Amino acid sequence: MLSASQLEQLAELGEERSAAVGDVLFQVGDRRYPFVAIVEGEVSILDAAGNEIVRHGASGFLGELNLLSGQTVFLTAVVTQPLRYIAVDRDSLRPLLFEDGPLSDLLLSTFIARREALQQVQGVGLEVIGPHSSAPTARMIDFARRNLLPFTWRDPTRADDPAAAALVAGLDAARLPLVRLPGGVELRGPSTGQVSRALGIGRELAPREEVDLVVIGGGPAGLGAAVYGASEGLATLVVEGTGLGGQAGSSRRIENYLGFPAGITGSELTSRAVSQARKFGARTATPYRAVSLEPEGDRYLVRLEENHEVAARTVLLATGAEYRRLPVDGLSDFEGISVFYAAGPPEAQLCGASRVGVVGGGNSAGQAAVWLARGGALVTLLHRRADLRETMSDYLVREVERYGVSVRDQSEIAALHGEAGRLDAVTLKTGERLPFSFLFCFLGALPCTEWLGDAVARDEKGFILTGSRANADALLETTLPGVFAAGDARSGSTKRCATAVGEGAMTVQFVHGRLAEAPAARAAPAG
Ligand SMILES: Cc1cc2nc3c(=O)[nH]c(=O)nc-3n(C[C@H](O)[C@H](O)[C@H](O)COP(=O)(O)OP(=O)(O)OC[C@H]3O[C@@H](n4cnc5c(N)ncnc54)[C@H](O)[C@@H]3O)c2cc1C
């Protein structure tokens, strides 16, 4: 709820308006809507089919994350009692959020909580229609999850959804998935970039961009560098292949990040970081995947998918890592349907009251197990070592016990059983069969550095060498002068949010040093 003084403050910035019962303030598919603070009256929020989701009354406010990101509207707002309200344009609201801590806290946390709730409501947001065996469909689902987009996935090969089969009948594989956007627009076989831009997310890059610092990867390391780089006057561009926030964005609750004694969800921490980076003028571009890096005169050229390129005086490689897959036959048949690599609100809703296996002994496995157990699932945690304490933080081991998660030491999965992607059971290497309907895997990480080829030296596992191991002067410099690496992608890094942020921030100091050594004409800050 907004306080009386916050309403006064908003009134100074916006416009006081009134609306009659039945008036529509915004509707599914709209590109823009103002922030609405209710002075008097009531508004009902409906999904695309007209089902009511919630009502807001006096001192309440309308809006969710798309108000800040500029995404297409997923819901409709209809006046149910004569309304007096303050409408504040999105562009006027933004500066206020940067200046007013308490208001920013209230709005950001509410918008994120609302988005999480929407992710659990069927029929809101995108509809993705494509078989689970189709790689582009799986990519689209991953993109939606990572960007916290509410979506419904309909598999046309499933007997219980003949309507989905009819919708894609006659479409060849290149035209899958069929993606239906809020408001009715249909895209056949779109790239994630096309969907992103159709939804109004992210920024359209020019075919060639020139910057002081290009950051590849928008996880904690990349965002840390963006905040410090932009706040210190560098023309900074963050290029992210999927969704800003990285692995941290998928963490249910980060308990060990400095300054948040009660813990903070990964999506809240990273949404705040994105706002902060933008406040200082860093540009973020999604989804643009970097595909190569090469020297070009006194700069480096980073080529991106879909024929874009960035010429940068310095580069930060912050592409992080991705979870390993379980080495069992037929895994891909189950992935995305009953085997997952992250446990978010949609998965928690899916798994309530089901038997769930969580595989892994690290903190991410512990967090997922606790989150799913709190959602009502019957969770068993399987890990390889003799004692969970060898690999998991003590506080999480205690949480695992507290929420009734059953722990099986020295347990490894040998086979999955089920049909049409639906898991029934797993067999352990000991031959024991355990009935699970869902499995969540957290098996350690592989670096996202394949795209670099031989451009910079990497260790035997593919992590990027820096500092003395790369014969470089600066601690985080790679074998290419002016190209730095930070966070999980860096060989020897600690694989924690705080260290990734710290390394990203530290890189900026090295970038200044490099730019002072090679004072080429400064890139004009673009966009
Ligand atoms: C479920 C989970 C829970 C966790 N919980 C905790 C916790 O409680 N505490 C803690 O300290 N740490 C936690 N971690 C670890 C922490 O999230 C990571 O250490 C941290 O996110 C690493 O940050 P990063 O920026 O180096 O990489 P990432 O977070 O991996 O971000 C890298 C980004 O780069 C992008 N990218 C990759 N390749 C390309 C490319 N070619 N072009 C463009 N972009 C690319 C990726 O899409 C990604 O967004 C958790 C991790 C997970 C998965």
Side-chain angles (χ1 to χ4, degrees):
M1 291 291 219
L2 295 161
S3 67
S5 65
Q6 284 171 329
L7 280 168
E8 271 172 34
Q9 202 182 358
L10 288 162
E12 279 172 26
L13 207 66
E15 188 188 329
E16 190 156 334
R17 298 180 190 167
S18 56
V21 172
D23 282 358
V24 174
L25 299 180
F26 53 80
Q27 61 188 342
V28 175
D30 281 357
R31 301 294 300 202
R32 263 187 105 85
Y33 66 107
F35 174 74
V36 171
I38 302 176
V39 179
E40 199 177 276
E42 189 189 62
V43 178
S44 169
I45 302 295
L46 312 173
D47 69 12
N51 303 312
E52 183 171 279
I53 295 177
V54 69
R55 283 184 184 216
H56 296 294
S59 301
F61 56 91
L62 311 189
E64 57 99 49
L65 270 188
N66 56 10
L67 190 71
L68 302 180
S69 61
Q71 274 160 41
T72 305
V73 177
F74 299 128
L75 301 166
T76 296
V78 182
V79 178
T80 43
Q81 281 177 27
L83 192 72
R84 224 156 45 79
Y85 68 101
I86 301 158
V88 184
D89 187 63
R90 183 176 140 216
D91 297 334
S92 311
L93 185 68
R94 267 178 179 279
L96 183 63
L97 294 185
F98 295 147
E99 286 155 20
D100 185 326
L103 186 68
S104 168
D105 277 352
L106 173 68
L107 264 53
L108 260 181
S109 345
T110 310
F111 288 169
I112 290 164
R114 285 180 183 171
R115 175 58 66 91
E116 293 208 341
L118 281 187
Q119 286 182 280
Q120 301 181 48
V121 179
Q122 282 289 314
V124 173
L126 298 182
E127 218 180 316
V128 180
I129 304 152
H132 71 266
S133 55
S134 134
T137 303
R139 246 196 322 275
M140 194 60 68
I141 297 297
D142 183 45
F143 161 78
R145 281 206 177 99
R146 290 275 304 272
N147 281 282
L148 307 178
L149 296 173
F151 69 93
T152 306
W153 180 9
R154 297 175 64 185
D155 185 338
T157 60
R158 279 186 38 188
D160 59 357
D161 193 357
L167 282 167
V168 294
L171 289 186
D172 59 30
R175 297 185 21 104
L176 288 174
L178 168 65
V179 178
R180 298 167 113 189
L181 304 179
V185 174
E186 292 191 352
L187 302 171
R188 289 174 176 74
S191 67
T192 52
Q194 284 165 328
V195 172
S196 178
R197 281 176 271 291
L199 286 171
I201 317 171
R203 167 186 291 273
E204 185 79 71
L205 284 181
R208 182 181 165 98
E209 298 273 351
E210 302 213 352
V211 291
D212 291 328
L213 170 63
V214 65
V215 178
I216 314 297
L223 292 172
V227 167
Y228 286 85
S231 67
E232 292 175 22
L234 298 174
T236 305
L237 172 67
V238 181
V239 172
E240 164 56 50
T242 317
L244 292 167
Q247 296 169 68
S250 66
S251 173
R252 288 314 314 153
R253 186 152 280 273
I254 298 175
E255 303 269 6
N256 55 0
Y257 194 81
L258 191 73
F260 294 92
I264 182 165
T265 63
S267 53
E268 181 157 359
L269 183 69
T270 53
S271 299
R272 283 172 181 274
V274 171
S275 294
Q276 204 172 6
R278 289 184 181 147
K279 164 180 162 175
F280 288 119
R283 297 192 297 147
T284 54
T286 59
Y288 288 97
R289 184 158 290 277
V291 293
S292 69
L293 166 71
E294 63 201 66
E296 187 198 61
D298 63 346
R299 292 168 187 263
Y300 289 99
L301 188 69
V302 179
R303 289 188 205 283
L304 311 177
E305 273 178 346
E306 299 188 11
N307 292 325
H308 288 270
E309 58 185 39
V310 182
R313 299 180 63 202
T314 55
V315 180
L316 172 61
L317 304 171
T319 47
E322 269 175 7
Y323 273 94
R324 277 177 216 275
R325 299 171 75 230
L326 206 59
V328 293
D329 288 341
L331 177 68
S332 60
D333 293 347
F334 296 94
E335 283 175 322
I337 298 175
S338 51
V339 173
F340 302 99
Y341 297 90
E347 291 80 21
Q349 195 216 15
L350 190 69
C351 298
S354 304
R355 285 180 196 279
V356 172
V358 173
V359 189
N363 281 2
S364 43
Q367 286 172 355
V370 169
W371 164 252
L372 293 165
R374 289 176 66 174
L378 298 167
V379 183
T380 303
L381 184 84
L382 309 163
H383 74 111
R384 280 192 309 184
R385 308 274 182 114
D387 185 349
L388 201 53
R389 283 181 176 75
E390 289 177 42
T391 47
M392 194 178 286
S393 298
D394 270 357
Y395 79 89
L396 264 175
V397 175
R398 285 195 297 274
E399 291 273 282
V400 161
E401 279 166 14
R402 182 170 153 217
Y403 285 98
V405 174
S406 143
V407 178
R408 281 178 162 259
D409 303 329
Q410 294 176 318
S411 299
E412 287 182 65
I413 292 180
L416 306 179
H417 309 283
E419 269 184 28
R422 298 182 174 280
L423 191 70
D424 292 333
V426 304
T427 303
L428 301 184
K429 285 192 175 166
T430 54
E432 193 180 353
R433 196 176 161 113
L434 300 174
F436 289 143
S437 305
F438 299 97
L439 202 61
F440 290 80
C441 304
F442 300 91
L443 299 170
L446 293 170
C448 302
T449 55
E450 284 287 292
W451 65 278
L452 287 163
D454 294 331
V456 294
R458 295 181 288 153
D459 69 14
E460 64 292 349
K461 290 184 178 157
F463 291 93
I464 302 165
L465 297 178
T466 51
S468 57
R469 294 175 68 206
N471 288 325
D473 294 338
L475 202 60
L476 300 177
E477 199 162 25
T478 68
T479 42
L480 285 179
V483 177
F484 304 90
D488 283 14
R490 194 176 70 78
S491 181
S493 69
T494 311
K495 316 284 182 284
R496 288 279 184 275
C497 263
T499 45
V501 171
E503 289 184 11
M506 197 182 1
T507 303
V508 171
Q509 184 198 335
F510 301 131
V511 166
H512 281 304
R514 168 75 187 165
L515 294 181
E517 271 169 32
R522 286 288 294 269

